[in-house]
Amino acid sequence: MNYNKYTLDRFDGEYAIFLKRSNETEQLLIHHAEIPSELKEGDIVSIQDDGFDYKIELLREETANQKQRVNNLLQQLRNKE
């Protein structure tokens, strides 16, 4: 089995579009029915692909850390004004 980390970029129609970390240029489209309902845009996940199904796991700690980094950067930008 092969697994990689992705960021849930957006939902487009019936599909969720994931960007492979860390270069985020490779996309993976998965039908909305195959992803856990708890996922939202910006979440970091681990996706296992056995060739037939996807196993998607939310990486809560990595997602929280990434959101904190983004918030810190935004705060720094605001403080420069």
Side-chain angles (χ1 to χ4, degrees):
M1 269 188 247
N2 187 19
Y3 84 94
N4 289 294
K5 290 182 183 179
Y6 291 86
T7 301
L8 176 51
D9 183 54
R10 66 189 181 280
F11 293 97
D12 189 2
E14 295 184 10
Y15 291 90
I17 300 173
F18 294 89
L19 299 178
K20 189 173 182 180
R21 294 183 62 87
S22 64
N23 66 7
E24 298 193 345
T25 57
E26 184 179 325
Q27 293 185 352
L28 176 64
L29 278 67
I30 300 178
H31 194 273
H32 195 279
E34 295 183 63
I35 66 166
S37 61
E38 67 181 323
L39 293 184
K40 53 190 177 298
E41 293 173 355
D43 284 345
I44 299 171
V45 297
S46 171
I47 300 178
Q48 288 183 340
D49 179 7
D50 64 8
F52 299 103
D53 296 308
Y54 295 104
K55 181 181 178 200
I56 303 170
E57 177 186 356
L58 174 59
L59 302 175
R60 294 180 197 284
E61 188 172 329
E62 288 188 45
T63 298
N65 290 341
Q66 180 65 21
K67 287 180 181 180
Q68 186 61 48
R69 281 192 293 275
V70 169
N71 285 335
N72 289 343
L73 289 171
L74 288 171
Q75 197 64 13
Q76 288 176 0
L77 289 171
R78 288 182 186 128
N79 290 337
K80 286 187 175 186
E81 294 178 358

